[in-house]
Amino acid sequence: MKTNDSNNNKWLDDRTEAYLDGELSIEEHNQFERLLQQDNDWQQEVSWAVTIRDELRAVPTPEPSPDLRKAILNEVRKDAWSNFRSRLFSGFGGEFLRDTLFRGAFLQWRPVLATLTLLVVASTFVFVINRPGTPTPDPEMISQAEVEQALAEAKWALGYVSKTGRLTGTSMQDALGPLLKEQTKE
Amino acid sequence: MALKNKLSMIVLVLLCAGWAGAWQNTLYAQDDMTNDPGYIDFTDMESRFDAEPNFQVNIKGHLLKLVAEASREDDPEFADLLLRLRAIQVRSFPMRRAQIRAMELHSESIGEELESGGWDTVVRLRDYGQYVDVYAIENPEYILGLMMMVVDAEQNETVLINIVGDIAADELGRIGSKFDIAPLSNLMEDR
């Protein structure tokens, strides 16, 4: 009997917190309440535990000072950046790259990297803004009159080729026909 | 910063400048057509003639697509032909009758260069007062480019025409024959 009580006490003790938090399974919950009804001491224990939980919940959460909040956020950011670097470099070169790029060399080469970035941005800007002798303007820059003019010139050029072919005593088809036949044979 | 680091920095900046230049050239190369086998760079040929071209046409890229779409309603067949082309280039040079022999020599020299570059001579006409040369370059499936050179003593002009793209010769002849060929001077007046 004593052994049974001892077992029940341990069983109840292990599950009191989960019981109060509503995290027990239905079977365990029912068994917990059954044992509780049989034991006044445990009823008292659970009642105290409920009181303590409610008291703790009633205590207002203290607001951290702005300085403390800032310090905590800085630490969190550092930690996140450190994790990110570890994940990044474990895939791209490991310890050596991490040590050289981020500890010593990064500070040393920072002016160079800044210059390179500036150069890339500047060259992109120059390329976009000042494209010398761009042969094909953007469609938005081409007026309807230019299109009509080009259409007339395209017709003229193709007509000229066709007409000259006929005037030479042969058509372009006749002239190019042997070439096309050879290609077909191949 | 130590001298060694300064030197390294200068070298890196120069390398980056070189890279940026190369990058721009690559983009320009994509935009121009110098790598297209059917394309002929007329600037090189223009230097052989004593005069500036009095008429030139450069239709390619977006302009060529817009021209194709502009003609679609009136002539869908012509629009389809244009969409398969990548460029139409024309140069006309004024010429005096006395220059016809010099022009013949020019045309022969140009022809030799084209042939050495993989072009085939498909038409060569030597008539009194008129020389006509037509060259084509092809891959196993298509004609990739056509070059026509006409020296016309009666019209006092030398005309170079380069058509770049997937050219179907029968289509080119048939569709081209529909168009009324006004004298070049009419086109020049329209500009």
Side-chain angles (χ1 to χ4, degrees), chain A residues 13-150:
Chain A
D13 192 34
D14 287 345
R15 286 162 181 77
T16 300
E17 197 173 329
Y19 171 77
L20 292 177
D21 291 337
E23 291 173 352
L24 290 180
S25 65
I26 294 172
E27 291 81 19
E28 284 184 327
H29 180 84
N30 292 339
Q31 188 179 352
F32 192 96
E33 295 214 320
R34 199 168 50 246
L35 291 172
L36 209 57
Q37 283 173 0
Q38 297 166 5
D39 192 326
N40 288 335
D41 290 343
W42 268 105
Q43 286 175 19
Q44 191 64 42
E45 288 279 344
V46 169
S47 173
W48 285 341
V50 168
T51 306
I52 291 168
R53 183 195 66 182
D54 292 345
E55 289 292 331
L56 283 174
R57 283 183 180 171
V59 174
T61 309
E63 269 299 304
S65 70
D67 287 344
L68 179 62
R69 186 197 297 264
K70 195 174 170 184
I72 290 170
L73 285 174
N74 279 342
E75 285 303 314
V76 169
R77 283 195 197 102
K78 271 186 202 168
D79 192 44
W81 174 234
S82 172
N83 287 339
F84 171 74
R85 266 174 22 201
S86 300
R87 285 201 305 275
L88 181 71
F89 289 113
S90 64
F92 294 101
E95 297 294 318
F96 171 76
L97 207 59
R98 187 183 63 193
D99 291 346
T100 50
L101 188 59
F102 277 90
R103 289 198 181 144
F106 177 74
L107 291 176
Q108 192 177 345
W109 287 89
R110 198 162 51 180
V112 179
L113 291 173
T115 309
L116 293 181
T117 307
L118 188 66
L119 206 60
V120 169
V121 170
S123 62
T124 306
F125 181 75
V126 167
F127 175 73
V128 170
I129 297 299
N130 186 29
R131 298 172 71 183
T134 304
T136 55
D138 290 335
E140 296 81 18
M141 304 288 287
I142 302 170
S143 67
Q144 184 62 31
E146 285 174 298
V147 173
E148 285 171 9
Q149 174 75 32

